[in-house]
Amino acid sequence: MSDKTACQRYESQVRSYCREFPVVFQRADGPYMWDVSGRRYVDLLCGAGALNYGHNDPHIATALRDYLLSSGPVTSLDLYTVAKSRFVERFVDVVLRPRGMDHVLQFPGPAGTLAVEAAIKLARKVTGRTNVIAFSGGFHGASLGSLALSSSPLLRRAAGTPLGAATILPYDDGSPAALDHLERMLQDRGGIDPPAALVVETVQGEGGLTAASTAWLSGVQRLAREAGALFVVDDIQAGCGRTGSFFSFDGTDLRPDMVCLSKSLSGLGLPMAMVLIRRQLDAWQPGEHNGTFRGNNLAFVTAEAALDHWTDSGFLAHVDRLAAEVGGSLRELADAEPGGGATVTGRGLMSGLRFDEPGRADQLKRRLFECGVIAETSGGGLVLKFFPALTMTVAQWRETADLVGDAMTTRRSPAAVLGA
């Protein structure tokens, strides 16, 4: 069956993205997807950041195909395998060693929320404390520990149980007030328990693409150190190149005790997650934290192949150029919004438009889908998010930016703008 009838009849009501984009997709390549009728869509959702290299990147897909044909093990718990060993060595060589990061790698299971769960569990073990501080507007996952750190009212209500052992404090708002408030809470205890960890996103994917300043992030790190707490960066959505560099904190003085990674870590959209742990903090006992699918060898293979992009000077230069193009286009689009009711938000290829008018972003999301562009909203529906594939050409982005501009400036249906 090639239509959506079976899913509508038998899949849980919890499904969401398919309600916003109600077509059946059949093929995907690079920045595009095609539905069963052959219509092409520009994918600016990119699996909510899980497809940073676009769909079916040829180099990564070839590595996966070759591994499957070699009859290598697919899943292996935490047994040693050639696939895992090759990935670990490559990750250390390409990512950690050049940055002077002496972190060990933990594979907690194949989802971002599992990386966060492992990180806060280890922080509590190391410090002997239970409270974890997170920040307003943040999203760290939908499992109970991660959810306690997340701000979404919808997801928190769905927990069905009190969410404790966490304190949510104000995120950077561009003024000294947020950091001052955090400092007072930590120094005077402010009615909160001493924290085991401070967990932060440098750019909030679900919180409206709000990007924290380097000064605020440095202040959070300093206060964590002074409080005897661990400093944890959740780079699940902002990492793996989404903001322009491999880590979202590259080029800063941030030295996280732990880093949570997932989404585009595998490079091809295969489930994979990892926690980077400063070596001195690796206090786990063997088997103390585990997961059946922490040995996803298919993801190890594709993740290793994805790292080849980060040793390619041409790819790095392209990402910089594309980010500059996206930033320039968004500024032009914001300037063209009537009444100056739009501003650019985010960083790098994790950017979007914030609208003053409630409902405007959702209206544009629907209009863009009519003309063959898939984009999501965040920040309470005020921000239209653009997550282009890092491999998208500048020409492809310019064509897409023109479609966005057309959707913003015309009230007619743009269904015929983009052909199949």
Side-chain angles (χ1 to χ4, degrees):
M1 183 178 293
S2 61
D3 64 18
K4 52 184 176 282
T5 303
C7 293
Q8 290 174 331
R9 182 176 300 171
Y10 298 112
E11 190 179 357
S12 166
Q13 291 295 325
V14 78
R15 63 189 188 276
S16 59
Y17 287 113
C18 58
R19 299 180 189 273
E20 303 290 339
F21 312 113
V23 298
V24 179
F25 295 103
Q26 186 173 40
R27 186 166 65 91
D29 181 58
Y32 302 116
M33 293 196 292
W34 288 261
D35 66 18
V36 291
S37 71
R39 188 170 188 219
R40 190 187 76 182
Y41 297 81
V42 183
D43 185 7
L44 297 183
L45 176 61
C46 270
L51 295 164
N52 285 0
Y53 309 99
H55 293 273
N56 296 310
D57 177 273
H59 174 66
I60 304 174
T62 297
L64 175 61
R65 181 201 64 195
D66 291 348
Y67 184 77
L68 285 169
L69 291 175
S70 76
S71 298
V74 171
T75 189
S76 57
L77 300 171
D78 66 0
L79 295 171
Y80 301 129
T81 66
V82 170
K84 181 164 71 170
S85 296
R86 286 172 58 95
F87 167 72
V88 169
E89 291 174 359
R90 187 74 168 146
F91 190 85
V92 171
D93 288 343
V94 173
V95 178
L96 296 187
R97 187 169 290 126
R99 292 168 172 81
M101 295 175 64
D102 186 26
H103 289 60
V104 298
L105 285 57
Q106 179 184 357
F107 303 104
T113 192
L114 299 180
V116 175
E117 294 280 357
I120 60 179
K121 185 174 173 181
L122 181 59
R124 288 167 174 154
K125 175 181 174 65
V126 168
T127 64
R129 302 171 178 178
T130 57
N131 187 34
V132 174
I133 291 177
F135 297 93
S136 57
F139 176 73
H140 302 281
S143 54
L144 291 182
S146 305
L147 185 56
L149 311 182
S150 301
S151 294
S152 168
L154 175 69
L155 294 177
R156 292 180 70 89
R157 285 194 301 268
T161 188
L163 298 169
T167 303
I168 297 179
L169 296 176
Y171 193 71
D172 185 19
D173 62 1
S175 74
L179 193 61
D180 290 345
H181 179 63
L182 173 62
E183 187 164 14
R184 288 195 303 272
M185 295 292 283
L186 289 173
Q187 290 180 346
D188 302 331
R189 293 296 179 236
I192 67 171
D193 294 329
L198 279 70
V199 182
V200 65
E201 298 167 283
T202 65
V203 184
Q204 294 186 324
E206 303 307 312
L209 301 183
T210 305
S213 68
T214 300
W216 184 83
L217 291 166
S218 295
V220 173
Q221 176 177 252
R222 172 180 59 82
L223 293 173
R225 303 275 192 261
E226 292 175 357
L230 304 191
F231 178 62
V232 181
V233 171
D234 179 344
D235 233 16
I236 290 168
Q237 190 160 159
C240 299
R242 180 45 57 191
T243 61
S245 54
F246 188 86
F247 292 123
S248 68
F249 52 86
D250 281 338
T252 72
D253 67 350
L254 300 185
R255 298 294 181 267
D257 295 305
M258 287 188 274
V259 182
C260 299
L261 295 171
S262 186
K263 288 195 180 285
S264 280
L265 183 60
S266 78
L268 203 67
L270 297 179
M272 184 178 183
M274 185 167 67
V275 186
L276 304 179
I277 305 165
R278 194 155 53 86
R279 186 176 296 275
Q280 302 93 315
L281 301 173
D282 184 24
W284 291 121
Q285 296 298 311
E288 192 173 19
H289 187 90
N290 57 32
T292 300
F293 297 106
R294 63 194 185 277
N296 182 353
N297 287 271
L298 302 185
F300 291 143
V301 168
T302 57
E304 181 201 353
L307 290 173
D308 289 342
H309 284 305
W310 296 98
T311 61
D312 180 350
S313 60
F315 172 79
L316 299 178
H318 171 73
V319 170
D320 287 343
R321 184 184 178 196
L322 182 60
E325 287 283 342
V326 169
S329 297
L330 294 186
R331 286 190 291 274
E332 291 178 4
L333 291 168
D335 290 343
E337 177 73 359
T343 54
V344 180
T345 186
R347 182 153 57 88
L349 298 173
M350 188 177 182
S351 298
L353 295 172
R354 180 182 295 275
F355 295 94
D356 295 339
E357 178 186 345
R360 174 68 165 151
D362 283 319
Q363 176 194 57
L364 287 170
K365 175 179 69 174
R366 292 189 292 270
R367 190 175 298 163
L368 285 171
F369 183 62
E370 290 177 358
C371 67
V373 178
I374 300 171
E376 186 53 288
T377 59
S378 70
L382 294 177
V383 174
L384 188 63
K385 293 169 61 175
F386 299 116
F387 277 27
L390 276 59
T391 52
M392 177 182 254
T393 68
V394 169
Q396 289 169 335
W397 166 254
R398 288 175 177 169
E399 176 191 14
T400 303
D402 287 343
L403 293 173
V404 177
D406 182 80
M408 291 176 64
T409 57
T410 183
R411 298 293 172 179
R412 65 181 173 81
S413 173
V417 174
L418 187 64

